[in-house]
Amino acid sequence: MSASKVLVACWLGLAVLSVSTVLLGNAGATLALTAAVLLTAFGKAWLITDGFMELRHAPRAWRLLLLAWPLVLVLGVLLTLL
Amino acid sequence: MSTSADPFSSPARRLPGDLAMWFFILAELTVFAILILAFAVAQMVYAEQFDESRAALDSSIGLALTLSLLTSGLFAALAVEQVRQARSARATLLLLAALGSSCVYVVLKLNEYSHLAGLGLGMEHNTFFTLYWILTGFHFLHVLLGMVILGWLAARCRRGAYGPDNHSGLESGVLYWHMVDMVWVLLFPLVYVLR
């Protein structure tokens, strides 16, 4: 797949996850739905770091550092909602 | 190191952009992380107030804001790809498209700010709105700076300043824009969606 097609595929994934975020949020306020909303947020951050920022091609330490940012935040927010 | 099992793998690992930009991005992400966690902790303390206040926000507007930023990010990323293929004219158009899409975000956000201010839901209304204005306002300032950078990149690209072997500056500017995107994808569910 060409680099441009990968970027468009990432954008499509981001759009689908964004719509999913709203649908899940409107579906209720259970812990499972909250966790699902946060999981979609992490998925979007992953698509941005690995797709748009091209960290999938970067040294592993940088990739993990940038992926740690949404992971820590998602887990932190989830903890406050338990 | 790459493995054939990883569809995203590449033979040579390379950090795009300038190293200085990455340290700047890390610093920005740290500041936003503190603000986001502060919002989450305040939500834990004032859960009822946050639920009631969030009802004043329209998640469909939040979705439109998200899609405008993500679309802008796509155009900016495609512009970098075009420069790598020595297509500066197309890259310039894509950077202008990124700028146009970000304008949609600005118009929608200003409308939302105006609507909330009209309802008397300003920064001093309650804890939710204090943090809402600080968090989204700080992000909004980053969007504006990012738009200035996109405009500057488009002008330089139009003059042929970037090419397949000389586009680190373009990558750095676009990386900043992706950072703004990434912060928003965490802000969006926290501020507009979670209950």
Side-chain angles (χ1 to χ4, degrees):
Chain A
M1 193 186 288
S2 72
S4 296
K5 284 181 180 170
V6 169
L7 291 172
V8 172
C10 285
W11 178 83
L12 278 172
L14 286 162
V16 168
L17 288 174
S18 298
V19 173
S20 304
T21 300
V22 175
L23 294 176
L24 287 166
N26 290 339
T30 65
L31 185 59
L33 286 168
T34 297
V37 166
L38 290 171
L39 191 63
T40 61
F42 178 76
K44 288 163 71 180
W46 172 71
L47 284 171
I48 290 171
T49 51
D50 266 8
F52 285 1
M53 291 176 140
E54 300 180 297
L55 284 176
R56 64 187 185 276
H57 300 309
R60 285 191 197 286
W62 278 101
R63 184 184 184 210
L64 293 177
L65 192 59
L66 265 288
L67 284 173
W69 185 81
L71 183 64
V72 167
L73 285 183
V74 161
L75 291 176
V77 171
L78 189 60
L79 276 177
T80 65
L81 293 169
L82 288 178
Chain B
M1 300 287 280
S2 64
T3 63
S4 57
D6 181 0
F8 282 140
S9 67
S10 158
R13 292 204 170 270
R14 170 186 168 269
L15 190 66
D18 297 322
L19 189 60
M21 176 54 79
W22 283 104
F23 284 113
F24 180 66
I25 285 172
L26 287 181
E28 292 276 29
L29 290 178
T30 303
V31 174
F32 273 109
I34 291 167
L35 290 172
I36 287 170
L37 290 175
F39 189 99
V41 170
Q43 179 172 243
M44 182 175 65
V45 176
Y46 304 106
E48 199 171 323
Q49 180 202 101
F50 271 55
D51 276 350
E52 288 169 6
S53 300
R54 193 175 276 119
L57 301 178
D58 186 345
S59 62
S60 62
I61 296 293
L63 177 61
L65 291 165
T66 305
L67 293 176
S68 62
L69 274 189
L70 293 174
T71 303
S72 181
L74 171 68
F75 287 139
L78 287 171
V80 173
E81 201 48 44
Q82 291 299 309
V83 164
R84 286 176 183 152
Q85 295 172 34
R87 295 173 179 159
S88 289
R90 281 191 196 181
T92 303
L93 288 176
L94 284 163
L95 287 168
L96 291 174
L99 196 55
S101 188
S102 65
C103 285
V104 174
Y105 175 92
V106 169
V107 169
L108 288 172
K109 198 69 195 161
L110 287 177
N111 273 341
E112 183 182 72
Y113 283 157
S114 170
H115 173 69
L116 292 174
L119 293 173
L121 302 173
M123 188 180 268
E124 295 177 0
H125 183 71
N126 62 20
T127 305
F128 174 88
F129 280 105
T130 299
L131 289 171
Y132 163 85
W133 284 96
I134 291 173
L135 196 50
T136 65
F138 190 53
H139 181 266
F140 186 73
L141 291 177
H142 282 73
V143 171
L144 295 181
L145 175 60
M147 290 171 71
V148 171
I149 292 172
L150 285 176
W152 183 73
L153 292 175
R156 286 195 31 94
C157 199
R158 185 173 175 273
R159 290 198 297 268
Y162 304 116
D165 300 320
N166 171 32
H167 57 277
S168 182
L170 173 69
E171 285 180 337
S172 295
V174 169
L175 281 169
Y176 175 86
W177 191 240
H178 294 321
M179 182 274 291
V180 173
D181 267 6
M182 191 161 80
V183 170
W184 181 259
V185 301
L186 269 291
L187 281 188
F188 168 53
L190 183 63
V191 174
Y192 288 82
V193 178
L194 287 179
R195 282 180 280 168

